[in-house]
Amino acid sequence: MNRDQLKSLLGEGASKEVIDAIMRANGEDVNAGKAAIETLKSQLEEANGKISSLEDEANKNLTADEQWQKQLDAANATAKQALRDLNEATAAAVFAGAGMSEDEYKPFIGSVIGGTRDETTAAAKAIADVVSAKAKAAADDAKKQALAAMLQPQGGDEGNGAITTKKQFRAMSDTEQIAWKQQNPDAWKNLS
């Protein structure tokens, strides 16, 4: 926060002394927070160093088989996480391809990923198909409702609106008949 922001919040009636006091107090709070963060960072680094030393000591006491098992467990955990990440990326690609945004699929993507990549893809496609079908149905319904509210244009037949009979021609006003004859000079002969 700077002095201009504070002045706009407090209004033009705020004195320089009040603004200075608030800025000084805010600066002290910010500096105290920064110092606390630095202290916590240094404590975390120290604790991580101790953990690393303890792990090294524990590893020295392991047999060769135990060391291999530990490495195998770590590799399996890494592979499991990599498969989960791949499945998540696959499902996200399927959802994005169906026009879904991350905000739309984020709440349930965790329940879709799992198992093999093919299982994840199949589950994601099934959900995307349902969502797409619902969106299309909603759009079609909205279109039908919009069209249902429209009135049919007057004149002509219900097919294409063209004048095809003398009866339709006689139903028009004199002005409309004159205009129609001027626009369609040869069509009069074809009216039934």
Side-chain angles (χ1 to χ4, degrees), residues 32-61:
K34 286 181 182 178
I37 289 172
E38 291 303 317
T39 301
L40 290 172
K41 280 183 182 178
S42 117
Q43 289 174 348
L44 178 62
E45 287 176 16
E46 183 181 336
N48 283 337
K50 288 180 182 177
I51 289 170
S52 181
S53 296
L54 290 172
E55 285 177 345
D56 290 343
E57 284 298 315
N59 286 338
K60 287 180 186 176
N61 295 327

Side-chain angles (χ1 to χ4, degrees), residues 86-100 105 109 117 124-125 128:
L86 176 64
N87 285 346
E88 186 171 344
T90 299
V94 170
F95 293 140
M100 295 174 67
Y105 65 75
I109 194 169
R117 184 173 181 201
K125 282 183 179 178

